Structure formats: structure tokens, C-alpha cells
Amino acid sequence: MNFLILVSASISLFLAILIASLHLLHPTYFLPWNKLQNSSIELVADLIIKNGVIYTSDESLPFAQSMAVANGRVLRIGNHSFVQEVAGYGTQVLDLEGKVVVPGFIDSHVHFISGGLQMMQVQLRGVNEKEEVIRKIKDAVQSTKPGSWILGGGWNNDQWGGDLPTAYWIDDITPNNPVWLSRMDGHMGWANSVALSLAGITNLTNNPRGGTIMRTADGEPTGLLIDSAMTLVVSQIPERSIDDRREALQRASNLALTKGVTTVVDMGRYFPGVSSDLSWEDFTDVYLWTNAMSKMKVRVCLFFPMETWKRFADLVNKMGHALSQWVYFGGVKAFADGSLGSGSALFYEPFQDEPDNYGLQVTEPDVLLNMTLESDLSGLQVAIHAIGDRANDLILDLHSSIASTNGMRDRRFRIEHAQHLAPGTPSRFGKEGVIASVQPDHLLDDANSAGKKLGDDRAERESYLFKSLLDSNALVAFGSDWPVADINPLSGIKTAVRRRPPTWKDAWIPLECVSLEDAIKAYTISAARASFIDNDLGSLSIGKQADFVILSTDSWNDFAEAASASIEATYVSGMKAYP
Ligand SMILES: *[C@@H]1O[C@H](CO)[C@@H](O)[C@H](O)[C@H]1NC(C)=O
Ligand SMILES: *[C@@H]1O[C@H](CO)[C@@H](O)[C@H](O)[C@H]1NC(C)=O
Ligand SMILES: *[C@@H]1O[C@H](CO)[C@@H](O)[C@H](O)[C@H]1NC(C)=O
Ligand SMILES: *[C@@H]1O[C@H](CO)[C@@H](O)[C@H](O)[C@H]1NC(C)=O
């Protein structure tokens, strides 16, 4: 009996190995894709999708009816009869019944592991009443052991009338737990008194450079910490377990797929005041592991903190620009300033509601110049966060000086957010070849508060100038900044096309609305170019990965009119990944 089991097990093993090696021996296996297209080998499609309105993001053929996929890539795209020629035995056929298909969305700016971890914590996004915030924290106390940290974030004081929260709000319900809740923009955090005392923050603690400890008129810390002052508390929080962080990636990926996102550009777990080590720990503990276990579901392009440029340059030298078809190496990221909501974005004129506050330059200019020069000399792509008008001009100047010192090359220098631009600045992006990596959905929140912060004139003149950027021929890439805003390209596209916050009747700055096609491109092919991944991704072109999304609508005109649709299915490498 045992003998028989052994024999049958051996036979199965032998067959499995045989099948696996036959796959390896198939002549197409060793051929790079560009050769394949012209080789004499006849490829048969694994999948054909037909009878749809396929928008390709490829200017040489913007629309098609049908597409064939082989080995996870686009084999043919065009009319039905042309695509049908590569059908064969075993080709799966999917009738789209007229539905619109677009390339898989590329979200150009997320904090993917942070977002996944936040899905596992107190979630305060969208909460618009102080009482509701307190109730959620009370609930968290119930399920947390005394002494353990209660973590979470996503709160936005503008949603409950503007009052900034204080330790006092929650001290009586959290006597035995330190609490740390970050603001939706990640540039401000709210601690209770237990957390303040663990961090050693008292009346006598000085503001650290690049940060502020908010205080009462008497000089007592209120519990709110801005930008680098957040480190004081954050450095006390024990790191999340490896298992939690791996779980966070899975949750984040599953969420992304439901929204049609097939690739994210991960800016890391990096805010001013947060240790740059975290992004590297996530890389080794989470991404390397998940990739090795074949558990990646969404493609990621990784950016690392610029102060670690040397480590990243070594990695790229050793490994090239991709670890696999799932993990690409992007570049390095630094910060010029803070955020609008936290009053730390850097402007020429002071904040309307704080006449002495021009914002913060969060990285020392000489340090920033030195790191950027070194990164660029090592051939790395550089992305710098800049929100205020002055911060954007400073970074454009920095780019010019890098280009003149290190010489011309295809460096695809990125400014992240490019949110408020002085007159004349949008045209510099186009002329100087600097990429604007922007997040349309942030304007939904800012439309209501920017006037108060900047004055109505400046807010109207300078905010989210997507059309001006496109008109200057700048490469504009869209993203969400998740978990700062929802990961949801269809929402971002609608926002960029209509610029209408909920409850508004008209657009905010209507001249800056963009077309549906421009918005989709910014979320696909332009996003791919902005991360040097356009050889593989970003459009439904022959040889590229067959990442695509089927939308609920069956009319391009209706889609263009309403700028809205929902996701029916998401495919990665020609395989259904959602639902
Ligand atoms: C394939 O062949 C065509 C025509 O012979 C040629 O123009 C094209 O450059 C080739 N493409 C590649 C990727 O080799
Ligand atoms: C279908 O596409 C092929 C290849 O692009 C083209 O040669 C052919 O004329 C097209 N047929 C029709 C009916 O449009
Ligand atoms: C801090 O200042 C407040 C208000 O002036 C005062 O009540 C409190 O005793 C001070 N705490 C310390 C530790 O000095
Ligand atoms: C950057 O700073 C380091 C250390 O001070 C120095 O050795 C290096 O030459 C600087 N690099 C550039 C490009 O200025």
C-alpha cells in the first residue's frame, strides 16, 4: 500500500516537472518581447476581448474594438477581424457587450503600506463631528490593552468647523493609553497627554527645527504637533509587526484593484519627522518577501527617502530598474515644504489667517541641493514635494541648477503636488521639462478652505492649475496621495474634468477643467512616463502588459459627458484580478 502511494506520488512529481519544463522549453519563453513581435513564431492568444470601446491611451490608435492577449501582454489590438486572426485552440473569449475599457490606472503618488495599516486602525477620514471622533476613540479604548498605543488618522478639522483638536478632548477617556492620530495630510498629529508625557514634551520643550509644538496662550502644549515636531511622539511608537505590514500590503492591493488601479507609485512611509528607515524596512520585510512568495497583486514602483540616495543607488546598480514585473525601482523623494491645511506650505505672501506665517522650508536648502546633485549624478530620478507657490519656484530653480551643473539628460525630474503656482510658474514646467505629479481629489477639500487660508484672489489664481500645466506642454501625472485622499482614479478623473466639490453648483476655477481624455492619460500613459515605466505599462499597445479595466458604461459619449462610471472588472497581465 505504502509502496503504491510512493509510486503514484513519484509519477505525479515527474509529470509536474515535465509540464513545468515543457513550458520553459517553449521557444517564446526566452525571447524578449520586441523580438517576439517580428519573429516567425505564430503566437496564439490566451484571451481575446471583443465588441467593446477600448480606449488605449496610445495616440497611434486611440480606440479599438478588440484586443488579444498572450503571455500576459497585448498581442494584437484593433478591429475584430484583425484580432481574431490570432485566435486558436484554447483562446478564451470575452464579449464586452459594448462596454468601455481603459488601461489599468497608475496612481502616481500613494503611501501604500501606511494606507494599508490605516485600514487596520482608527479611521477618522470623513468624520464631520467632534462627538463622532470621540466615540470612535472610545471604541478603540475598549479593544486596546492598557498601556498599548491607539493609532489612527485621517481627521480633518475643516470638516467639523475648523476647531483644532486637543489632548484635553480625549484625556479623560484615554487615561491608560497613549494616543496618536495623524491629520489627513500627514503634516500634523494629535497626541493625548499620556503620549505627550511619554515623548517628554512639556512647557519647556523647544520647537525642533522644521516643526512646531502647538501651545495654549500659557505656553502649555495642546497635543498638536506639526511637521518635524511629530518625530518627538512618532519615535516613541513601537514599530508594527512584520505580519501586520504584510497584511497591510494585501489589504491595500485588494482595495486598489476594486478601484481599477493596477500600478501604484509608492512614495514610502515618509513624512517630515518620520524615520527614513521605515521605507527600507517595508522594502525588505514586505515587498521583497511578497514578491518572492509570488503574492504581489498590484505592480508597485518604489521611491525612497532622498537622504538614503546612496543605498538606493547601490540597489539599482545591483538589481537594475525592476526586481520583477511587479516591483519597479523608481527614484528618491525629498520635501521642500509642508501642507496647506497645516499652515506649513511655503508661500511668497503670508497665510490670510496667520499674518506672520509664510510656511516652512522643511529641508535645509544646502542639504537639499547637495542630496539632489548627488542623486542626480548617480542617475537616479528625483521627486520633490512642493505645495506653496514659493516652494514650487524654489524647486524649479533647483532643477535648473541641477541641469546646468550635471548636464542635460532624460531625468524626468518630478515635483510632487505642485498645488499652488504663482503666475508664470505653470509655463516653467512645460519649458523646463519638469513633471507635475498632482492629485485632483485634494481640490475637493481645499476648495472650501483655500479661500480662508490664502484669500479668495490668491486661491483662485494659484490652485490646481491642471489645464495651464497641460497647455504649457508639461507632463502631468495624476495620483491620489492615498491614504491622504481615497485611492480612486475615477473620482480623480471626474474631479479634474468638473472641479466641482460636493454641494457646489459650479466648478471651482472653471478655466482649469481638463478633457476626459487628458484626465485618463494623466492616470495612465503620463503616469507611466513620469516613473520611467512606460516601456511596459500605461497604454494598451502591442507588447505592453495587458492591464486593463472594464467600466460600467457602454457609451464613450456618456462617459465623457458625465465623467463618471464605475469599475466592473480589473485585469492584470490579462488575468481577472477583481472581482
Ligand atoms: C519589426 O519589423 C518591422 C518591419 O520589418 C520594423 O519596421 C520594426 O522596426 C520591427 N520591430 C521591432 C521591434 O524589431
Ligand atoms: C482591420 O485592421 C487591419 C489592421 O490594422 C486593417 O488592415 C484592416 O483594413 C481593418 N479592417 C477593417 C474592416 O477596418
Ligand atoms: C505649564 O503651564 C501651565 C499653564 O501656565 C501650568 O498650569 C502648568 O503647571 C505648567 N506645567 C509645568 C510642568 O510647568
Ligand atoms: C555633498 O556633501 C558632501 C559632504 O559634505 C561632500 O563631500 C560632497 O562633495 C557634496 N556634493 C556635492 C555635489 O556638492
Side-chain angles (χ1 to χ4, degrees), residues 130 133 155-157 160 162-170 181 183 188-191 214 222-224:
K130 177 179 164 181
V133 173
W155 58 270
N156 178 3
N157 52 305
W160 60 68
D163 280 358
L164 284 167
T166 67
Y168 183 71
W169 286 17
I170 49 172
L181 302 161
R183 192 177 188 279
M188 196 187 255
W190 170 22
M214 296 272 274
T222 66
L224 282 182

PDB file of all heavy atoms in Angstrom, residues 130 133 155-157 160 162-170 181 183 188-191 214 222-224:
ATOM      1  N   LYS A 130     -17.194  66.395  16.084  1.00  0.00           N
ATOM      2  CA  LYS A 130     -16.292  66.152  17.200  1.00  0.00           C
ATOM      3  C   LYS A 130     -16.769  64.943  18.029  1.00  0.00           C
ATOM      4  O   LYS A 130     -15.976  64.094  18.435  1.00  0.00           O
ATOM      5  CB  LYS A 130     -16.261  67.422  18.054  1.00  0.00           C
ATOM      6  CG  LYS A 130     -15.435  67.330  19.294  1.00  0.00           C
ATOM      7  CD  LYS A 130     -15.469  68.678  20.030  1.00  0.00           C
ATOM      8  CE  LYS A 130     -14.972  68.494  21.463  1.00  0.00           C
ATOM      9  NZ  LYS A 130     -15.008  69.748  22.230  1.00  0.00           N
ATOM     10  N   VAL A 133     -15.780  61.669  16.491  1.00  0.00           N
ATOM     11  CA  VAL A 133     -14.357  61.390  16.675  1.00  0.00           C
ATOM     12  C   VAL A 133     -14.150  60.762  18.046  1.00  0.00           C
ATOM     13  O   VAL A 133     -13.491  59.720  18.191  1.00  0.00           O
ATOM     14  CB  VAL A 133     -13.535  62.701  16.590  1.00  0.00           C
ATOM     15  CG1 VAL A 133     -12.086  62.443  16.956  1.00  0.00           C
ATOM     16  CG2 VAL A 133     -13.642  63.303  15.202  1.00  0.00           C
ATOM     17  N   TRP A 155      -8.186  62.464  10.196  1.00  0.00           N
ATOM     18  CA  TRP A 155      -9.098  63.552  10.620  1.00  0.00           C
ATOM     19  C   TRP A 155      -8.808  64.848   9.865  1.00  0.00           C
ATOM     20  O   TRP A 155      -7.696  65.079   9.430  1.00  0.00           O
ATOM     21  CB  TRP A 155      -9.029  63.779  12.131  1.00  0.00           C
ATOM     22  CG  TRP A 155      -7.673  64.111  12.694  1.00  0.00           C
ATOM     23  CD1 TRP A 155      -6.749  63.206  13.153  1.00  0.00           C
ATOM     24  CD2 TRP A 155      -7.088  65.402  12.875  1.00  0.00           C
ATOM     25  NE1 TRP A 155      -5.627  63.862  13.601  1.00  0.00           N
ATOM     26  CE2 TRP A 155      -5.799  65.211  13.449  1.00  0.00           C
ATOM     27  CE3 TRP A 155      -7.517  66.712  12.620  1.00  0.00           C
ATOM     28  CZ2 TRP A 155      -4.947  66.277  13.761  1.00  0.00           C
ATOM     29  CZ3 TRP A 155      -6.666  67.774  12.928  1.00  0.00           C
ATOM     30  CH2 TRP A 155      -5.396  67.552  13.497  1.00  0.00           C
ATOM     31  N   ASN A 156      -9.864  65.613   9.732  1.00  0.00           N
ATOM     32  CA  ASN A 156      -9.753  66.906   9.061  1.00  0.00           C
ATOM     33  C   ASN A 156     -10.636  67.899   9.811  1.00  0.00           C
ATOM     34  O   ASN A 156     -11.855  67.847   9.702  1.00  0.00           O
ATOM     35  CB  ASN A 156     -10.207  66.775   7.603  1.00  0.00           C
ATOM     36  CG  ASN A 156     -10.165  68.113   6.875  1.00  0.00           C
ATOM     37  OD1 ASN A 156      -9.751  69.124   7.436  1.00  0.00           O
ATOM     38  ND2 ASN A 156     -10.616  68.114   5.631  1.00  0.00           N
ATOM     39  N   ASN A 157      -9.987  68.776  10.591  1.00  0.00           N
ATOM     40  CA  ASN A 157     -10.752  69.713  11.416  1.00  0.00           C
ATOM     41  C   ASN A 157     -11.653  70.635  10.600  1.00  0.00           C
ATOM     42  O   ASN A 157     -12.664  71.111  11.090  1.00  0.00           O
ATOM     43  CB  ASN A 157      -9.812  70.530  12.304  1.00  0.00           C
ATOM     44  CG  ASN A 157      -8.696  71.174  11.507  1.00  0.00           C
ATOM     45  OD1 ASN A 157      -7.964  70.493  10.793  1.00  0.00           O
ATOM     46  ND2 ASN A 157      -8.576  72.487  11.610  1.00  0.00           N
ATOM     47  N   TRP A 160     -15.293  69.723  10.721  1.00  0.00           N
ATOM     48  CA  TRP A 160     -16.179  69.999  11.854  1.00  0.00           C
ATOM     49  C   TRP A 160     -16.090  71.453  12.282  1.00  0.00           C
ATOM     50  O   TRP A 160     -16.178  71.801  13.447  1.00  0.00           O
ATOM     51  CB  TRP A 160     -15.939  69.023  13.019  1.00  0.00           C
ATOM     52  CG  TRP A 160     -14.544  69.024  13.600  1.00  0.00           C
ATOM     53  CD1 TRP A 160     -13.953  70.016  14.307  1.00  0.00           C
ATOM     54  CD2 TRP A 160     -13.589  67.953  13.538  1.00  0.00           C
ATOM     55  NE1 TRP A 160     -12.695  69.644  14.693  1.00  0.00           N
ATOM     56  CE2 TRP A 160     -12.443  68.375  14.243  1.00  0.00           C
ATOM     57  CE3 TRP A 160     -13.588  66.677  12.973  1.00  0.00           C
ATOM     58  CZ2 TRP A 160     -11.305  67.579  14.374  1.00  0.00           C
ATOM     59  CZ3 TRP A 160     -12.455  65.887  13.115  1.00  0.00           C
ATOM     60  CH2 TRP A 160     -11.341  66.345  13.804  1.00  0.00           C
ATOM     61  N   GLY A 162     -13.516  73.624  11.891  1.00  0.00           N
ATOM     62  CA  GLY A 162     -12.187  74.216  11.938  1.00  0.00           C
ATOM     63  C   GLY A 162     -11.449  74.072  13.263  1.00  0.00           C
ATOM     64  O   GLY A 162     -10.225  74.152  13.296  1.00  0.00           O
ATOM     65  N   ASP A 163     -12.186  73.858  14.380  1.00  0.00           N
ATOM     66  CA  ASP A 163     -11.504  73.742  15.676  1.00  0.00           C
ATOM     67  C   ASP A 163     -10.440  72.659  15.641  1.00  0.00           C
ATOM     68  O   ASP A 163     -10.727  71.517  15.277  1.00  0.00           O
ATOM     69  CB  ASP A 163     -12.501  73.325  16.772  1.00  0.00           C
ATOM     70  CG  ASP A 163     -13.314  74.506  17.260  1.00  0.00           C
ATOM     71  OD1 ASP A 163     -13.057  75.628  16.772  1.00  0.00           O
ATOM     72  OD2 ASP A 163     -14.198  74.289  18.116  1.00  0.00           O
ATOM     73  N   LEU A 164      -9.225  73.027  16.043  1.00  0.00           N
ATOM     74  CA  LEU A 164      -8.180  72.012  16.107  1.00  0.00           C
ATOM     75  C   LEU A 164      -8.392  71.175  17.365  1.00  0.00           C
ATOM     76  O   LEU A 164      -8.708  71.707  18.434  1.00  0.00           O
ATOM     77  CB  LEU A 164      -6.796  72.678  16.126  1.00  0.00           C
ATOM     78  CG  LEU A 164      -6.353  73.206  14.759  1.00  0.00           C
ATOM     79  CD1 LEU A 164      -5.150  74.120  14.890  1.00  0.00           C
ATOM     80  CD2 LEU A 164      -6.036  72.042  13.814  1.00  0.00           C
ATOM     81  N   PRO A 165      -8.234  69.854  17.251  1.00  0.00           N
ATOM     82  CA  PRO A 165      -8.445  69.014  18.426  1.00  0.00           C
ATOM     83  C   PRO A 165      -7.310  69.218  19.437  1.00  0.00           C
ATOM     84  O   PRO A 165      -6.227  69.672  19.071  1.00  0.00           O
ATOM     85  CB  PRO A 165      -8.411  67.596  17.847  1.00  0.00           C
ATOM     86  CG  PRO A 165      -7.598  67.704  16.603  1.00  0.00           C
ATOM     87  CD  PRO A 165      -7.823  69.083  16.067  1.00  0.00           C
ATOM     88  N   THR A 166      -7.565  68.890  20.683  1.00  0.00           N
ATOM     89  CA  THR A 166      -6.519  68.982  21.706  1.00  0.00           C
ATOM     90  C   THR A 166      -6.515  67.703  22.543  1.00  0.00           C
ATOM     91  O   THR A 166      -7.482  66.933  22.524  1.00  0.00           O
ATOM     92  CB  THR A 166      -6.766  70.167  22.673  1.00  0.00           C
ATOM     93  OG1 THR A 166      -7.946  69.883  23.431  1.00  0.00           O
ATOM     94  CG2 THR A 166      -6.941  71.477  21.918  1.00  0.00           C
ATOM     95  N   ALA A 167      -5.424  67.526  23.279  1.00  0.00           N
ATOM     96  CA  ALA A 167      -5.305  66.380  24.179  1.00  0.00           C
ATOM     97  C   ALA A 167      -6.489  66.352  25.148  1.00  0.00           C
ATOM     98  O   ALA A 167      -7.021  65.299  25.493  1.00  0.00           O
ATOM     99  CB  ALA A 167      -3.989  66.461  24.951  1.00  0.00           C
ATOM    100  N   TYR A 168      -6.905  67.533  25.547  1.00  0.00           N
ATOM    101  CA  TYR A 168      -7.974  67.717  26.504  1.00  0.00           C
ATOM    102  C   TYR A 168      -9.275  67.020  26.072  1.00  0.00           C
ATOM    103  O   TYR A 168     -10.014  66.496  26.899  1.00  0.00           O
ATOM    104  CB  TYR A 168      -8.168  69.231  26.651  1.00  0.00           C
ATOM    105  CG  TYR A 168      -9.181  69.642  27.663  1.00  0.00           C
ATOM    106  CD1 TYR A 168      -8.933  69.483  29.027  1.00  0.00           C
ATOM    107  CD2 TYR A 168     -10.395  70.193  27.254  1.00  0.00           C
ATOM    108  CE1 TYR A 168      -9.883  69.863  29.961  1.00  0.00           C
ATOM    109  CE2 TYR A 168     -11.341  70.577  28.175  1.00  0.00           C
ATOM    110  CZ  TYR A 168     -11.080  70.412  29.533  1.00  0.00           C
ATOM    111  OH  TYR A 168     -12.016  70.789  30.443  1.00  0.00           O
ATOM    112  N   TRP A 169      -9.539  67.010  24.754  1.00  0.00           N
ATOM    113  CA  TRP A 169     -10.770  66.371  24.242  1.00  0.00           C
ATOM    114  C   TRP A 169     -10.866  64.906  24.666  1.00  0.00           C
ATOM    115  O   TRP A 169     -11.955  64.373  24.813  1.00  0.00           O
ATOM    116  CB  TRP A 169     -10.804  66.380  22.703  1.00  0.00           C
ATOM    117  CG  TRP A 169     -11.081  67.697  22.053  1.00  0.00           C
ATOM    118  CD1 TRP A 169     -10.988  68.939  22.609  1.00  0.00           C
ATOM    119  CD2 TRP A 169     -11.486  67.889  20.694  1.00  0.00           C
ATOM    120  NE1 TRP A 169     -11.303  69.902  21.677  1.00  0.00           N
ATOM    121  CE2 TRP A 169     -11.615  69.284  20.493  1.00  0.00           C
ATOM    122  CE3 TRP A 169     -11.752  67.034  19.633  1.00  0.00           C
ATOM    123  CZ2 TRP A 169     -12.001  69.825  19.267  1.00  0.00           C
ATOM    124  CZ3 TRP A 169     -12.126  67.571  18.415  1.00  0.00           C
ATOM    125  CH2 TRP A 169     -12.252  68.961  18.241  1.00  0.00           C
ATOM    126  N   ILE A 170      -9.724  64.239  24.750  1.00  0.00           N
ATOM    127  CA  ILE A 170      -9.762  62.783  24.915  1.00  0.00           C
ATOM    128  C   ILE A 170      -9.038  62.278  26.162  1.00  0.00           C
ATOM    129  O   ILE A 170      -9.062  61.089  26.440  1.00  0.00           O
ATOM    130  CB  ILE A 170      -9.170  62.066  23.676  1.00  0.00           C
ATOM    131  CG1 ILE A 170      -7.820  62.675  23.284  1.00  0.00           C
ATOM    132  CG2 ILE A 170     -10.147  62.114  22.507  1.00  0.00           C
ATOM    133  CD1 ILE A 170      -7.100  61.894  22.196  1.00  0.00           C
ATOM    134  N   LEU A 181      -2.939  60.370  16.555  1.00  0.00           N
ATOM    135  CA  LEU A 181      -3.850  60.375  15.414  1.00  0.00           C
ATOM    136  C   LEU A 181      -3.371  61.421  14.419  1.00  0.00           C
ATOM    137  O   LEU A 181      -3.364  62.623  14.737  1.00  0.00           O
ATOM    138  CB  LEU A 181      -5.260  60.733  15.897  1.00  0.00           C
ATOM    139  CG  LEU A 181      -5.824  59.787  16.986  1.00  0.00           C
ATOM    140  CD1 LEU A 181      -6.964  60.445  17.739  1.00  0.00           C
ATOM    141  CD2 LEU A 181      -6.266  58.473  16.362  1.00  0.00           C
ATOM    142  N   ARG A 183      -3.281  63.904  11.162  1.00  0.00           N
ATOM    143  CA  ARG A 183      -4.238  64.646  10.342  1.00  0.00           C
ATOM    144  C   ARG A 183      -4.250  64.021   8.945  1.00  0.00           C
ATOM    145  O   ARG A 183      -3.293  63.360   8.529  1.00  0.00           O
ATOM    146  CB  ARG A 183      -3.828  66.118  10.264  1.00  0.00           C
ATOM    147  CG  ARG A 183      -4.912  67.019   9.684  1.00  0.00           C
ATOM    148  CD  ARG A 183      -4.481  68.496   9.703  1.00  0.00           C
ATOM    149  NE  ARG A 183      -5.571  69.371   9.317  1.00  0.00           N
ATOM    150  CZ  ARG A 183      -5.920  69.615   8.063  1.00  0.00           C
ATOM    151  NH1 ARG A 183      -5.248  69.078   7.067  1.00  0.00           N
ATOM    152  NH2 ARG A 183      -6.939  70.408   7.791  1.00  0.00           N
ATOM    153  N   MET A 188       0.387  66.893  10.423  1.00  0.00           N
ATOM    154  CA  MET A 188       0.046  67.308  11.783  1.00  0.00           C
ATOM    155  C   MET A 188      -0.444  66.070  12.522  1.00  0.00           C
ATOM    156  O   MET A 188      -1.108  65.206  11.927  1.00  0.00           O
ATOM    157  CB  MET A 188      -1.086  68.347  11.708  1.00  0.00           C
ATOM    158  CG  MET A 188      -1.301  69.156  12.959  1.00  0.00           C
ATOM    159  SD  MET A 188      -2.788  70.173  12.783  1.00  0.00           S
ATOM    160  CE  MET A 188      -2.107  71.782  12.519  1.00  0.00           C
ATOM    161  N   GLY A 189      -0.071  65.965  13.789  1.00  0.00           N
ATOM    162  CA  GLY A 189      -0.545  64.821  14.567  1.00  0.00           C
ATOM    163  C   GLY A 189      -1.112  65.279  15.901  1.00  0.00           C
ATOM    164  O   GLY A 189      -0.734  66.331  16.427  1.00  0.00           O
ATOM    165  N   TRP A 190      -2.028  64.481  16.422  1.00  0.00           N
ATOM    166  CA  TRP A 190      -2.763  64.812  17.645  1.00  0.00           C
ATOM    167  C   TRP A 190      -2.447  63.752  18.681  1.00  0.00           C
ATOM    168  O   TRP A 190      -2.719  62.572  18.454  1.00  0.00           O
ATOM    169  CB  TRP A 190      -4.247  64.852  17.272  1.00  0.00           C
ATOM    170  CG  TRP A 190      -5.241  64.941  18.384  1.00  0.00           C
ATOM    171  CD1 TRP A 190      -5.048  65.383  19.656  1.00  0.00           C
ATOM    172  CD2 TRP A 190      -6.629  64.574  18.292  1.00  0.00           C
ATOM    173  NE1 TRP A 190      -6.218  65.327  20.369  1.00  0.00           N
ATOM    174  CE2 TRP A 190      -7.205  64.839  19.558  1.00  0.00           C
ATOM    175  CE3 TRP A 190      -7.436  64.069  17.273  1.00  0.00           C
ATOM    176  CZ2 TRP A 190      -8.564  64.591  19.818  1.00  0.00           C
ATOM    177  CZ3 TRP A 190      -8.773  63.828  17.527  1.00  0.00           C
ATOM    178  CH2 TRP A 190      -9.334  64.094  18.801  1.00  0.00           C
ATOM    179  N   ALA A 191      -1.849  64.207  19.794  1.00  0.00           N
ATOM    180  CA  ALA A 191      -1.479  63.287  20.870  1.00  0.00           C
ATOM    181  C   ALA A 191      -2.321  63.582  22.101  1.00  0.00           C
ATOM    182  O   ALA A 191      -2.720  64.723  22.323  1.00  0.00           O
ATOM    183  CB  ALA A 191      -0.003  63.459  21.207  1.00  0.00           C
ATOM    184  N   MET A 214       2.264  72.954  19.034  1.00  0.00           N
ATOM    185  CA  MET A 214       1.197  73.939  19.272  1.00  0.00           C
ATOM    186  C   MET A 214       1.013  74.112  20.775  1.00  0.00           C
ATOM    187  O   MET A 214       1.066  73.145  21.535  1.00  0.00           O
ATOM    188  CB  MET A 214      -0.110  73.468  18.647  1.00  0.00           C
ATOM    189  CG  MET A 214      -0.058  73.346  17.148  1.00  0.00           C
ATOM    190  SD  MET A 214      -0.471  74.895  16.346  1.00  0.00           S
ATOM    191  CE  MET A 214      -2.249  74.725  16.320  1.00  0.00           C
ATOM    192  N   THR A 222      -0.680  71.771  23.425  1.00  0.00           N
ATOM    193  CA  THR A 222      -2.091  71.383  23.302  1.00  0.00           C
ATOM    194  C   THR A 222      -2.268  69.922  22.932  1.00  0.00           C
ATOM    195  O   THR A 222      -3.364  69.388  23.025  1.00  0.00           O
ATOM    196  CB  THR A 222      -2.786  72.189  22.179  1.00  0.00           C
ATOM    197  OG1 THR A 222      -2.195  71.804  20.918  1.00  0.00           O
ATOM    198  CG2 THR A 222      -2.647  73.679  22.374  1.00  0.00           C
ATOM    199  N   GLY A 223      -1.171  69.289  22.448  1.00  0.00           N
ATOM    200  CA  GLY A 223      -1.287  67.916  21.964  1.00  0.00           C
ATOM    201  C   GLY A 223      -1.107  67.847  20.457  1.00  0.00           C
ATOM    202  O   GLY A 223      -0.957  66.773  19.886  1.00  0.00           O
ATOM    203  N   LEU A 224      -1.103  69.019  19.776  1.00  0.00           N
ATOM    204  CA  LEU A 224      -0.910  69.020  18.323  1.00  0.00           C
ATOM    205  C   LEU A 224       0.540  69.300  17.969  1.00  0.00           C
ATOM    206  O   LEU A 224       1.153  70.227  18.512  1.00  0.00           O
ATOM    207  CB  LEU A 224      -1.775  70.106  17.687  1.00  0.00           C
ATOM    208  CG  LEU A 224      -3.239  69.749  17.553  1.00  0.00           C
ATOM    209  CD1 LEU A 224      -3.977  70.875  16.869  1.00  0.00           C
ATOM    210  CD2 LEU A 224      -3.405  68.455  16.777  1.00  0.00           C
TER     211      LEU A 224
END
